[in-house]
Amino acid sequence: MTQPNSIEEHLDRQAPTVFIMPAVLVVLCFSIFPLIVSLFVALSRLKFVKGGIEAKYIGFLNFKKLLFGSQQYHFLGKFDQLTTTGYVIMSVFVILILVWFYRYFKSINFSLVGTIGRFVVATGLFFLLMLTLINLTTPKGLPGTLVVTLTYVILGVIFQFLIGLGLALLCVKKIRGRSFFRMVFFIPMMITPVGIAYLFRMLTDMTKGPFAPVVMWLGFEETSWAVIPWGARIAVMIGDAWQWIPFMFIILLAGLESLPTEQKEAAIMDGAGSWQIFRDITWPTLLPVSVTIILIRLIEAFKIIDLPNVMTNGGPGIATESLSLHSYFNWRTMDLSGSAAVGYLLMVVAVFICLSFVSLVKKRIEIAQQ
Amino acid sequence: MNIWQQITKKRSFEDSSVLESILSYLILGIWAFICIFPIYWVLVTSVKEPHVVNQGPFYIPFVDFQPSLHAWEFVFMQESMNTLRPFFNTVIISLISAFITLLIGSMAGYALVRIHYRPKIVSIACFILILILAILLITRMGLDWRMVLTSGTAIFLLFIFTLSRRFKASLGNNDIGFWMISQRILPPVVVVIPVYIFYQQLGILDTYLAMVITYVAINIPIVVWLMRDFFFSIPVDLEENAALDGASRYRIFTTIVLPLTKPGLSATFMLVLILCWNEYLLSLFISMTDTQTLPLMIASMNTTRGPQWWYMSVIIILMIIPVIMIALFLYRFIVRGLLVGAIKG
Amino acid sequence: MFKLRNKMISGIVIAVVTLLFTIPAVHAKKYDGVTVNILTMEAPQIKGPMVKRAPDFKKLTGATVNIIGVPFADIYPKMEADFATGTNSIDGAVFAPQWMVDFIEPGYLEDLTSKVKADSAIEWDDIGYFFRSFSSTYGGKIYTIPLDGDFHMIYYRTDLLDAAGISPPTTWEEYTYIASRFHGQDMNGDGTPDYGSCISKKRNAQAYWMILSVAGGFIQAKGTGEGMFFDTKTMKPLVNNEAFSRALDIYKETTKYAPPDEINLDVGDTRGLWTAGRCALTLDWGDIGTLAIEKGSKVKGKTGAAILPGSRKVLDRSSGKLVSCDRARCPYAVNGVNHAPFAAYGGWSGAINTASSARVKDAAYDFFSYMAQAKQSNVDVTIGITGMNPYRVSQFENLSNWTNAGFSKASAENYLGAIKASLNSPNMILDLRVPKNQRYQQVVLDTEVHRFLSGEISKQEAMQRIEDGWEEVTEEMGRDGQLNAYRNTLGY
């Protein structure tokens, strides 16, 4: 064996750095600067003067306005007393949390940091749940952009995942035209989001859209989906689902197709029914990839903006306005600090939900897999 | 046997019974219709005249209404400069960005799978603080010291929160991964003006360079995450054997790992291409005359007169066609890729 | 001999070279080599006519004019970012004069008063009084050149009203009566029931101008200088009173006689409905007139225009109550009805960036002047797709341009008559143009009115919230500064 050239060897030793540094540097530089500047902007009031922008530091006033002040109805929604069902749900939730803590205290990995982390997660989830219940289930409560976004994200992702999974399960069997279906199902993802928004605006128009005759035939011509808050929200979610189900479908399909069939056939020999096969063989294998795409989709879903913007411009009232849209409306009138404040709150909520999801679900899977 | 038994009978596990087949085809057919119908509607709208669009839904050209190519003519002839230039820009910028992102991102993804990083928290914190200071000095915005203090503390706390579970002095690969993907969370709206100012100070507004850098930076996290899964599936032994034979990491990467994950690379390339192709807000701000892209054209069709559905439809179709063509081309790789990349997570 | 020949040759060479240099100089145009970048909306409207005429302008003056288009909603942020960060890549912009205060206060826009005074070709006095005295000026100085005249009118189906023997509405009560009368009838012969009134009420679109059009006649009566938004001494919003309450009632009532998804329709949709013949009444800018005669329109020759309906009662600002009109209170009332045509949006106008070089600024001004001159402008306003509506007196005195474009004589007279009545009204309402006017209108007014329409909040709550919201913006921006700006726009 010849002695390797010292330069080559040196380079090879630096390989770990060389491989990862470009990505890390690019993302770091590109993300840190806007992150900091946005934080400054969120903490100040901007004024355009000759020669540039004048920033006056005002502390957390912008955030106060959103959480407690004049924009509270916009961000948090309108409050009302919880109904009895609401109290019941909250109590069940609290009990579950207590059980969770109890199990944690009894486990081996007990630590102070872990407790604090779990406490934060529990508190956060508690408040979000209460807010959602107050906004959506009480007679006079109305959701603000926070709860509307959560609805889009959670309901949307669940719905998209289930349908994507269903389609993938159907497509994995040996049916003719599989490739055709795969190609066709992939199409919605290729259209630009702005285009999809206008497309759905066209499709859902009550006078000139293609479904107008159907609506008339059903007798609904006196009302319009755009006037009913939940109708409008569902329309937005349908558009979102249409666009993103292909993403779930394609990746779940790949996961399913990589499943070795011998396991399944052995299970059938042993007399297992198809539900049991799904539960014990298919689902565990799909679990990791499901978690990955759900996480990716969660992150992207928080930023939903084009659909509510084009279809209803955030209406009726503020029923379909998402956090990102709220931020955009502020920004459009050059209220940069208000826009940045909403953006930061969005980031906090999204990070919270994603982290909770990751730590609660992903960890458990990885442990189970080992 | 009776009818019910006949249609639910299965010959073997892999085969479906008649009932299952019919149900499957029905559901798949319905979904295919749902996917295709909107596209059809866009096509049909692009050949309608304005008054036909406004009168109400007309479904089939020549049968329900007289089609006209006025919208196509307008977009391609009258506004040709306005359409061809953005089209050209979109193609070039997306392709270049996708390539570069793929390169950098897959390197990082590979590294996160094979190499164990243990960056010390302290060093990271210091690095970032120094970066912050450098930025402050560069921009010299004359900031209020209270602002600096508050934001500095806030950011520091943010990082503490993210790493609270790891009280050891270092992080792991998973944290790097999560940090990367969390960069996608902040909505572009908040980021636009700082980015605009950033590029303006550097003097590269309205240049391809600025667009490509932006798109690369925002898409690297996705590439890293997806490629990680693909690299996982490659047996370590192959690489270990090659290393024993004296190959450097670079050679292993380029000659062994990459070819094996060609399918995964194609799939990810497709995804990143679509993301760059369709990006709206950042491109709106960074571009002025030279680098306008197609999504801007679609949004422009919504004028004070209301959306010009016919022109918009033409541009939507114009935007889809190249992507479909590239998808068809890469299709073979993608299918195989998603199959081979046994995504074990 | 040799020397002489050399001298001759060099002499000839020098003569030829000099000639070559002078010939171009003789034909040099005023702005040779100058490039002007103008930002405006990316659309066939407004941008289209400018792009069409830019080559002619180049032939005349040698200046290259680049028209840059961005989506409509993004013009304001793009301009602000370009000026405020010192990028200054745009030399001029064609935008809503309503926004101009936001750009004048920090000193971004060029004062054009002297240029206009020295320019005889533009025939400044031919431009409607309102547009040249209020719309283009701030604090007495001219900052923009009008290229388009924007104000609201109502339109009615002449065939329907004539057949029923009803004259066009002059008050809002009459408007709602006519709408209820015709609602549900089939107006375009396709067998489906149609609508009495189509008004665009979509959020974050153009709806906030519509409610102001309805409220205007109740609030302003003493001329443009009175203003309709704030009290001119205290900057108190004029939105929480009987007048605005009445306006909201009427606004909500028209929804009863409208398409079911009216609160999600923007102007594009309502105009589509109008040309498809599905509405008896509508409220809109001047575009309806030119759209109605386009190919495929079902209402060609059936579209009538009228000045914005008014009210017999106006707001008494000290008490907040509605009081009947008399000669003192409503000096401009017609037949006892106070009309207040609303110059919504203000009309696309061109302004110039102070930071550009002097020569570029001159070239930009000349281009705007060229576009605004009667020879070009009078033709552009007759064509629907230009998006330009009349604003010059000569434009509606001369019928031939209009009949050439496709109007019938009767329609042209009717349309132009309504425009004339509106333009000549001394009580025309100037759109709000204090700094950050978009926050007042688009963020506060629009959102609260839409919530009221969709039933989320009551009328009382809506008015209170609008008042509180406006007060909050005024406080944030600085009450004195805002009051000063408001008074400046009204010509004080």
Side-chain angles (χ1 to χ4, degrees):
Chain A
M1 199 164 75
T2 56
Q3 280 288 62
N5 193 322
S6 61
I7 295 184
E8 263 179 29
E9 189 186 66
H10 184 74
L11 270 177
D12 201 36
R13 252 183 288 153
Q14 291 305 315
T17 328
V18 171
F19 268 81
I20 200 158
M21 273 330 248
V24 169
L25 273 178
V26 171
V27 176
L28 197 64
C29 292
F30 193 81
S31 64
I32 287 286
F33 182 72
L35 209 63
I36 300 172
V37 173
S38 309
L39 194 58
F40 289 157
V41 170
L43 295 175
S44 57
R45 186 170 297 153
L46 295 181
K47 216 164 103 136
F48 288 104
V49 293
K50 191 163 185 94
I53 307 170
E54 188 186 272
K56 193 173 84 147
Y57 179 73
I58 55 168
F60 288 97
L61 267 184
N62 286 321
F63 292 100
K64 246 173 62 177
K65 194 159 89 160
L66 282 171
L67 292 171
F68 306 113
S70 62
Q71 287 287 308
Q72 185 191 43
Y73 79 92
H74 202 174
F75 182 70
L76 292 179
K78 253 166 94 164
F79 300 138
D80 194 16
Q81 279 293 2
L82 268 184
T83 58
T84 19
T85 356
Y87 279 117
V88 167
I89 297 180
M90 289 309 294
S91 325
V92 168
F93 178 75
V94 170
I95 293 176
L96 284 172
I97 293 281
L98 288 173
V99 167
W100 184 49
F101 263 97
Y102 179 67
R103 295 225 314 235
Y104 177 64
F105 286 150
K106 286 205 111 183
S107 77
I108 325 166
N109 299 329
F110 176 73
S111 76
L112 180 67
V113 176
T115 323
I116 295 181
R118 278 170 170 66
F119 185 70
V120 169
V121 170
T123 331
L125 286 177
F126 178 81
F127 275 116
L128 285 179
L129 185 63
M130 185 148 85
L131 187 66
T132 316
L133 284 174
I134 288 179
N135 281 342
L136 296 178
T137 59
T138 56
K140 285 208 272 186
L142 287 169
T145 49
L146 178 59
V147 171
V148 170
T149 311
L150 283 175
T151 316
Y152 287 152
V153 169
I154 297 181
L155 283 185
V157 172
I158 293 178
F159 181 68
Q160 290 160 25
F161 179 71
L162 290 175
I163 300 230
L165 184 60
L167 288 174
L169 284 172
L170 279 176
C171 243
V172 80
K173 301 195 208 252
K174 289 191 179 53
I175 49 173
R176 270 181 291 163
R178 227 167 39 163
S179 335
F180 166 75
F181 283 123
R182 269 199 218 135
M183 193 62 218
V184 164
F185 292 174
F186 193 54
I187 289 184
M189 222 169 79
M190 291 196 265
I191 312 183
T192 180
V194 177
I196 292 189
Y198 281 110
L199 182 60
F200 268 82
R201 175 81 188 82
M202 266 197 271
L203 290 175
T204 52
D205 193 291
M206 282 294 111
T207 44
K208 35 190 201 284
F211 299 115
V214 174
V215 171
M216 277 210 285
W217 180 72
L218 285 173
F220 284 131
E221 54 194 55
E222 284 305 304
T223 55
S224 156
W225 61 269
V227 180
I228 310 167
W230 272 109
R233 285 186 206 126
I234 290 179
V236 171
M237 285 198 274
I238 291 179
D240 195 44
W242 188 82
Q243 186 183 4
W244 286 102
I245 286 180
F247 174 68
M248 300 280 190
F249 165 74
I250 292 275
I251 302 201
L252 285 172
L253 183 65
L256 281 174
E257 284 185 341
S258 61
L259 224 55
T261 48
E262 308 91 44
Q263 262 190 305
K264 274 199 242 171
E265 283 174 5
I268 294 187
M269 296 295 184
D270 291 343
S274 21
W275 169 247
Q276 256 179 311
I277 293 177
F278 178 77
R279 195 191 61 192
D280 296 327
I281 301 179
T282 323
W283 180 239
T285 327
L286 276 186
L287 211 48
V289 65
S290 305
V291 168
T292 308
I293 55 174
I294 289 184
L295 183 64
I296 293 183
R297 192 64 204 105
L298 275 177
I299 294 179
E300 297 297 316
F302 268 102
K303 298 191 287 190
I304 183 172
I305 185 174
D306 292 299
L307 276 164
N309 188 24
V310 170
M311 284 178 82
T312 54
N313 283 13
I318 51 171
T320 53
E321 196 174 319
S322 65
L323 280 170
S324 195
L325 191 57
H326 184 173
S327 178
Y328 176 65
F329 283 153
N330 280 351
W331 176 86
R332 216 163 52 168
T333 58
M334 284 285 122
D335 180 11
L336 294 179
S337 25
S339 164
V342 176
Y344 257 85
L345 286 174
L346 165 64
M347 193 172 78
V348 165
V349 173
V351 167
F352 173 73
I353 299 256
C354 293
L355 263 183
S356 311
F357 177 71
V358 163
S359 44
L360 288 177
V361 179
K362 205 164 200 283
K363 275 294 160 95
R364 193 154 299 168
I365 295 172
E366 278 168 10
I367 295 175
Q369 290 234 295
Q370 272 128 24
Chain B
M1 340 176 208
N2 63 28
I3 299 277
W4 181 253
Q5 280 176 317
Q6 265 185 320
I7 56 176
T8 50
K9 178 178 78 152
K10 292 190 332 175
R11 259 171 300 200
S12 79
F13 177 72
E14 277 305 315
D15 277 346
S16 323
S17 63
V18 173
L19 181 65
E20 279 183 15
S21 288
I22 295 181
L23 278 178
S24 306
Y25 273 114
L26 195 66
I27 298 181
L28 289 173
I30 291 179
W31 189 256
F33 175 75
I34 293 179
C35 283
I36 298 190
F37 181 72
I39 313 281
Y40 170 75
W41 189 251
V42 169
L43 264 169
V44 159
T45 309
S46 71
V47 292
K48 283 185 185 168
E49 299 209 3
H51 64 98
V52 174
V53 173
N54 286 325
Q55 296 286 18
F58 293 105
Y59 298 94
I60 311 175
F62 296 114
V63 171
D64 282 340
F65 67 95
Q66 267 305 100
S68 112
L69 287 174
H70 82 106
W72 288 89
E73 206 184 357
F74 181 80
V75 171
F76 280 103
M77 302 299 171
Q78 264 184 279
E79 294 280 309
S80 61
M81 261 304 104
N82 261 351
T83 325
L84 288 181
R85 170 57 102 45
F87 183 73
F88 189 62
N89 289 339
T90 312
V91 169
I92 296 212
I93 294 174
S94 305
L95 282 175
I96 297 181
S97 309
F99 268 121
I100 299 182
T101 318
L102 203 63
L103 183 66
I104 301 182
S106 43
M107 282 191 357
Y110 173 75
L112 282 179
V113 166
R114 290 283 177 251
I115 308 171
H116 288 292
Y117 290 96
R118 296 211 161 273
K120 297 271 189 308
I121 295 184
V122 179
S123 47
I124 293 179
C126 283
F127 181 72
I128 293 177
L129 282 170
I130 293 175
L131 197 62
I132 295 176
L133 235 67
I135 293 172
L136 276 178
L137 287 171
I138 293 174
T139 56
R140 266 178 287 151
M141 271 162 56
L143 302 157
D144 192 326
W145 65 271
R146 286 173 296 174
M147 242 198 290
V148 175
L149 195 63
T150 324
S151 348
T153 325
I155 292 192
F156 195 62
L157 287 174
L158 195 73
F159 274 94
I160 293 278
F161 169 69
T162 319
L163 316 167
S164 64
R165 279 170 295 118
R166 309 237 172 202
F167 217 53
K168 308 177 208 115
S170 64
L171 312 168
N173 287 7
N174 281 335
D175 299 300
I176 300 182
F178 188 77
W179 165 71
M180 280 220 166
I181 201 74
S182 67
Q183 292 315 305
R184 300 260 327 160
I185 295 183
L186 202 60
V189 154
V190 181
V191 164
V192 163
I193 297 272
V195 165
Y196 181 82
I197 297 179
F198 185 53
Y199 287 149
Q200 192 241 346
Q201 299 286 345
L202 291 175
I204 52 173
L205 273 180
D206 202 22
T207 58
Y208 280 173
L209 179 67
M211 298 284 282
V212 168
I213 295 177
T214 316
Y215 285 171
V216 166
I218 61 178
N219 287 318
I220 282 184
I222 296 222
V223 173
V224 168
W225 264 64
L226 285 176
M227 290 312 293
R228 264 188 2 163
D229 281 339
F230 291 117
F231 288 137
F232 241 147
S233 65
I234 301 199
V236 191
D237 324 322
L238 275 175
E239 298 177 45
E240 281 177 358
N241 288 338
L244 281 175
D245 288 343
S248 68
R249 281 222 189 257
Y250 308 101
R251 190 162 304 168
I252 298 178
F253 185 64
T254 49
T255 54
I256 300 181
V257 178
L258 279 187
L260 278 180
T261 52
K262 222 191 291 195
L265 284 172
S266 311
T268 315
F269 178 80
M270 197 67 228
L271 186 63
V272 176
L273 184 71
I274 291 179
L275 288 174
C276 294
W277 191 270
N278 292 335
E279 205 280 327
Y280 173 73
L281 196 62
L282 286 164
S283 132
L284 168 73
F285 254 72
I286 302 178
S287 69
M288 184 62 97
T289 47
D290 297 329
T291 54
Q292 285 198 333
T293 55
L294 278 179
L296 299 186
M297 291 298 119
I298 292 190
S300 315
M301 287 306 156
N302 183 20
T303 66
T304 52
R305 274 190 154 198
Q308 316 273 290
W309 301 114
W310 34 99
Y311 300 140
M312 221 182 257
S313 307
V314 174
I315 300 195
I316 292 180
I317 296 176
L318 191 63
M319 283 195 75
I320 304 180
I321 292 183
V323 182
I324 291 188
M325 291 197 320
I326 299 183
L328 280 172
F329 172 68
L330 290 175
Y331 181 64
R332 300 171 285 140
F333 296 117
I334 294 177
V335 169
R336 235 191 299 141
L338 295 172
L339 296 183
V340 170
I343 305 179
K344 295 200 193 95
Chain C
M1 238 301 253
F2 193 65
K3 261 192 193 170
L4 188 60
R5 192 145 40 114
N6 273 349
K7 264 210 195 128
M8 263 172 47
I9 293 178
S10 31
I12 293 176
V13 167
I14 292 176
V16 168
V17 167
T18 327
L19 213 62
L20 281 172
F21 270 107
T22 49
I23 288 179
V26 163
H27 288 272
K29 304 218 192 79
K30 195 167 168 200
Y31 296 116
D32 261 340
V34 173
T35 308
V36 182
N37 291 320
I38 297 186
L39 181 80
T40 187
M41 159 171 78
E42 176 61 57
Q45 289 82 41
I46 309 296
K47 181 172 178 235
M50 289 204 291
V51 168
K52 205 175 83 165
R53 296 192 184 281
D56 299 330
F57 185 70
K58 182 163 184 170
K59 258 194 243 135
L60 282 175
T61 63
T64 315
V65 180
N66 274 338
I67 316 283
I68 305 165
V70 290
F72 168 69
D74 302 308
I75 299 180
Y76 178 70
K78 201 99 206 253
M79 281 177 70
E80 189 82 85
D82 188 80
F83 293 152
T85 59
T87 316
N88 291 320
S89 58
I90 45 182
D91 305 305
V94 176
F95 61 107
Q98 199 190 4
W99 305 336
M100 75 178 180
V101 179
D102 278 323
F103 300 120
I104 295 178
E105 288 281 310
Y108 300 141
L109 295 184
E110 174 90 347
D111 179 357
L112 302 175
T113 324
S114 45
K115 286 206 194 352
V116 167
K117 287 221 177 357
D119 182 6
S120 55
I122 199 175
E123 291 169 21
W124 191 246
D125 290 329
D126 182 37
I127 295 181
Y129 172 73
F130 174 80
F131 288 104
R132 69 181 137 91
S133 309
F134 284 102
S135 205
S136 325
T137 62
Y138 179 74
K141 307 205 192 99
I142 301 176
Y143 285 96
T144 60
I145 307 290
L147 298 176
D148 164 45
D150 272 339
F151 50 87
H152 275 177
M153 293 192 291
I154 55 151
Y155 297 87
Y156 57 93
R157 286 282 294 272
T158 49
D159 54 333
L160 295 175
L161 263 66
D162 284 343
I166 308 179
S167 51
T170 53
T171 67
W172 285 106
E173 287 80 9
E174 284 173 26
Y175 183 94
T176 46
Y177 167 69
I178 295 178
S180 67
R181 173 103 194 247
F182 289 108
H183 183 60
Q185 288 180 19
D186 178 16
M187 298 172 205
N188 58 354
D190 66 350
T192 51
D194 296 318
Y195 315 107
S197 153
C198 304
I199 303 181
S200 156
K201 297 194 170 112
K202 188 170 189 174
R203 195 185 156 204
N204 267 306
Q206 299 86 11
Y208 49 94
W209 282 301
M210 303 294 173
I211 177 62
L212 289 171
S213 280
V214 176
F218 291 95
I219 300 183
Q220 180 181 297
K222 299 217 177 94
T224 314
E226 199 192 6
M228 80 166 268
F229 296 97
F230 296 101
D231 180 297
T232 46
K233 292 197 188 55
T234 62
M235 202 65 186
K236 178 167 135 63
L238 296 172
V239 294
N240 196 359
N241 49 50
E242 251 187 22
F244 208 79
S245 167
R246 188 90 190 86
L248 283 176
D249 283 333
I250 292 174
Y251 198 55
K252 189 149 193 186
E253 199 183 336
T254 57
T255 324
K256 281 205 320 234
Y257 314 120
D261 54 349
E262 196 195 30
I263 64 173
N264 199 34
L265 297 179
D266 61 19
V267 239
D269 301 312
T270 51
R271 287 173 191 173
L273 283 170
W274 180 265
T275 50
R278 302 202 67 181
C279 310
L281 291 168
T282 188
L283 166 65
D284 207 326
W285 281 273
D287 304 69
I288 296 262
T290 44
L291 276 174
I293 57 168
E294 273 184 9
K295 177 179 166 202
S297 154
K298 289 206 167 161
V299 290
K300 184 167 176 170
K302 297 191 200 153
T303 304
I307 193 173
L308 222 50
S311 160
R312 293 183 194 277
K313 294 196 181 170
V314 293
L315 176 71
D316 174 53
R317 295 187 181 196
S318 45
S319 66
K321 301 243 175 292
L322 281 174
V323 292
S324 296
C325 251
D326 57 30
R327 185 84 22 100
R329 253 190 258 278
C330 311
Y332 305 111
V334 174
N335 292 337
V337 177
N338 173 49
H339 291 276
F342 181 35
Y345 193 68
W348 292 88
S349 311
I352 301 178
N353 185 0
T354 326
S356 301
S357 73
R359 215 159 157 237
V360 170
K361 285 195 279 197
D362 287 338
Y365 174 78
D366 278 354
F367 180 67
F368 288 141
S369 168
Y370 177 71
M371 290 298 301
Q373 283 162 22
K375 189 148 161 268
Q376 282 73 247
S377 159
N378 290 11
V379 174
D380 286 338
V381 296
T382 62
I383 306 171
I385 199 166
T386 60
M388 291 174 170
N389 297 319
Y391 61 101
R392 276 183 174 274
V393 173
S394 57
Q395 282 162 358
F396 43 79
E397 308 254 284
N398 187 352
L399 282 185
S400 57
N401 275 334
W402 298 93
T403 44
N404 284 342
F407 278 84
S408 69
K409 189 156 178 292
S411 301
E413 277 174 353
N414 172 291
Y415 181 59
L416 295 176
I419 294 183
K420 207 162 146 188
S422 309
L423 266 187
N424 284 340
S425 166
N427 197 30
M428 199 165 209
I429 300 180
L430 181 69
D431 205 353
L432 182 65
R433 48 171 67 188
V434 294
K436 295 292 173 285
N437 53 65
Q438 288 180 316
R439 291 224 216 135
Y440 291 102
Q441 289 181 320
Q442 213 173 315
V443 177
V444 180
L445 178 68
D446 187 50
T447 313
E448 301 306 334
V449 169
H450 208 262
R451 293 178 76 210
F452 164 65
L453 283 179
S454 62
E456 247 180 70
I457 51 180
S458 70
K459 184 178 64 175
Q460 211 38 55
E461 210 183 326
M463 293 201 295
Q464 187 61 49
R465 298 195 72 97
I466 299 175
E467 184 178 26
D468 292 339
W470 282 19
E471 287 283 11
E472 195 183 7
V473 180
T474 307
E475 288 298 326
E476 255 184 51
M477 300 298 301
R479 185 169 282 262
D480 293 329
Q482 294 296 83
L483 181 57
N484 208 28
Y486 187 58
R487 292 168 65 90
N488 269 335
T489 62
L490 292 177
Y492 284 75

